[in-house]
Amino acid sequence: MDSIAVLKKKVKDSLRFAFLEGAPAGIALGIMDNFVNPLAVALGASNVQIGVLNSLPRLFVSLSQLKTADLVERVGSRRRLIVPAVFLHALSFLPIALMPFLVANTVLSPGVALPLLTLGYVWCMVSAHFAGPAWGSMLSDLVPVRKRGSYFGRRERLLGFVSVLSVFLAGYYLNWRVAGPLPTKKEEALFGFFVVFLVAGSARSISGYLMTLIYEPPLRIKEEHYFSFWDFLRRAPEGNFGRYVAFVAVIHFAVLMSGPFFSVFMLRDLGFSYLTYSVLVAVAHTFALLSGPFWGKYADKVGNLRVLRICSCILPFLPILWVFSQDVRYLFFVQILSGIGWGGFNLCSVNFVYESAIPEKRTRCVSYYSATNGIAAFVGALLGGVLANHLPHLMGYRLLFLFLLSGVFRALAGVFLLTKVKEVRGVV
């Protein structure tokens, strides 16, 4: 077998392993993204504590990602950075799982457990996202340009399907745990969270093993390809990529202003069960993964920017629609719309970055893009936690006013920033 055939087989096998890796990753990420806040609510966290829980990890993620490209260049490999990070992410679920277990057994008080949970979540988020730019750079080198939309769409559909299933099963399991007599409900729920996060860590370990089987295309970086984060910020207003990063950063700011508090609103203010909460979350994920292949194929034909413009018209309405009714049946349809809008936005926002940067600069561009978004998310989540206790009531709830503000900022980002961004490739 000649060298070209061997290389093609390596690439083909790697794309298959990368695709399959989406399944265990979906379990871990689905639980990480959707059950840390409910755990904090079960421990009695205040709005400010929820804000800190969601903001502090994003700040550390941003700071760590500023060094991702430098470390890739130092070690000379993206995979040598990715694999240890994934196994560290798997291990990070253990301290998170121990918090509810120790509180349920009266070893720790909730007042002590909440700061420790925040520290554990910092570890979890940093290890989950630190090598993300390197992973995105490596995978985009493996996938042909014209197939990126469809490939990433199919992979996101697998990851999303498994994520939906894990969210639903975790919610069902937690609901089953608290179905007993009232005095034992809190302890049963806390033990349920212990099991849920242990499962997440085990799944991520499988993900780490699959990562070791993926071939890494050679990466040649020259000195002229280097640019610092400050160089990036200084040039941002002048370039198309910089204007795009500003748009996505404002979106992240607006989303994290309200995002962490939807679970608080459902579980604490509206009194929804874990099962109802999980169904509403799963509905959004389901329609995100169902719409993903459509968005991917459409983006391959008309460009990622066209999809982003369509979805940016949907995103502002998603938090505002919660103001008009809190009926579960109504929110079910709101979540359908949410899944469709975010399905396209999440897929094409990353693909736009991949296509904006040459391979030699891609890891660094993704790192700075992610770091900027993380800083914006940190400010948004922290501000949301403060505002949640001081905003006026809207329809009987302070958090609804926060949701309204989030929608307004999303709309402003689309009107004033996205309109200045241009497509970066020709379309069919």
Side-chain angles (χ1 to χ4, degrees), residues 22-92:
I27 296 174
L29 296 176
I31 290 173
M32 181 185 78
D33 291 340
N34 296 291
F35 284 96
V36 169
N37 284 333
L39 170 57
V41 172
L43 292 173
S46 66
N47 287 335
V48 172
Q49 288 173 318
I50 292 290
V52 172
L53 175 66
N54 286 271
S55 62
L56 198 60
R58 285 168 173 82
L59 175 62
F60 280 92
V61 167
S62 303
L63 297 176
S64 69
Q65 286 182 332
L66 291 176
K67 293 298 181 181
T68 300
D70 292 335
L71 283 175
V72 167
E73 294 175 12
R74 184 173 301 176
V75 302
S77 168
R78 290 165 290 189
R79 192 177 68 173
R80 286 171 62 185
L81 196 68
I82 295 167
V83 173
V86 173
F87 280 114
L88 281 173
H89 185 217
L91 188 61
S92 71

Side-chain angles (χ1 to χ4, degrees), residues 12-220:
K12 182 178 179 181
D13 290 344
S14 295
L15 290 176
R16 186 174 75 253
F17 291 135
F19 180 80
L20 294 175
E21 187 272 336
I27 296 174
L29 296 176
I31 290 173
M32 181 185 78
D33 291 340
N34 296 291
F35 284 96
V36 169
N37 284 333
L39 170 57
V41 172
L43 292 173
S46 66
N47 287 335
V48 172
Q49 288 173 318
I50 292 290
V52 172
L53 175 66
N54 286 271
S55 62
L56 198 60
R58 285 168 173 82
L59 175 62
F60 280 92
V61 167
S62 303
L63 297 176
S64 69
Q65 286 182 332
L66 291 176
K67 293 298 181 181
T68 300
D70 292 335
L71 283 175
V72 167
E73 294 175 12
R74 184 173 301 176
V75 302
S77 168
R78 290 165 290 189
R79 192 177 68 173
R80 286 171 62 185
L81 196 68
I82 295 167
V83 173
V86 173
F87 280 114
L88 281 173
H89 185 217
L91 188 61
S92 71
F93 284 99
L94 181 58
I96 293 178
L98 286 176
M99 290 306 106
F101 179 81
L102 294 176
V103 171
N105 287 277
T106 66
V107 177
L108 287 180
S109 67
V112 174
L114 281 167
L116 293 177
L117 174 63
T118 301
L119 293 177
Y121 195 37
V122 168
W123 174 9
C124 189
M125 287 284 286
V126 169
S127 56
H129 297 288
F130 168 65
W135 165 245
S137 172
M138 187 174 77
L139 192 56
S140 63
D141 283 353
L142 289 168
V143 183
V145 174
R146 291 294 179 181
K147 293 183 179 180
R148 281 179 187 158
S150 58
Y151 177 83
F152 285 114
R154 287 187 295 109
R155 186 179 182 278
E156 286 299 313
R157 181 167 61 174
L158 172 65
L159 191 151
F161 173 78
V162 176
S163 179
V164 167
L165 186 61
S166 65
V167 167
F168 177 79
L169 291 177
Y172 182 84
Y173 173 71
L174 289 170
N175 207 65
W176 173 75
R177 296 287 314 187
V178 301
L182 184 62
T184 65
K185 282 188 176 183
K186 183 176 180 179
E187 289 75 13
E188 289 294 330
L190 291 175
F191 185 79
F193 281 112
F194 166 71
V195 174
V196 164
F197 283 103
L198 282 185
V199 170
S202 301
R204 195 54 167 158
S205 298
I206 298 173
S207 178
Y209 168 72
L210 290 172
M211 287 287 191
T212 65
L213 305 177
I214 298 174
Y215 163 72
E216 178 184 6
L219 181 65
R220 297 177 178 87

Side-chain angles (χ1 to χ4, degrees), residues 193-269:
F193 281 112
F194 166 71
V195 174
V196 164
F197 283 103
L198 282 185
V199 170
S202 301
R204 195 54 167 158
S205 298
I206 298 173
S207 178
Y209 168 72
L210 290 172
M211 287 287 191
T212 65
L213 305 177
I214 298 174
Y215 163 72
E216 178 184 6
L219 181 65
R220 297 177 178 87
I221 301 175
K222 300 179 181 179
E223 187 176 345
E224 60 263 29
H225 295 141
Y226 173 83
F227 59 99
S228 69
F229 184 59
W230 301 114
D231 293 332
F232 168 73
L233 292 178
R234 189 175 64 252
R235 300 171 188 168
E238 305 169 4
N240 188 64
F241 182 65
R243 291 191 292 269
Y244 171 73
V245 171
F247 158 71
V248 180
V250 175
I251 290 291
H252 276 78
F253 165 82
V255 169
L256 265 296
M257 181 189 291
S258 63
F261 299 98
F262 283 99
S263 56
V264 177
F265 186 61
M266 285 186 276
L267 294 171
R268 188 188 65 191
D269 293 351

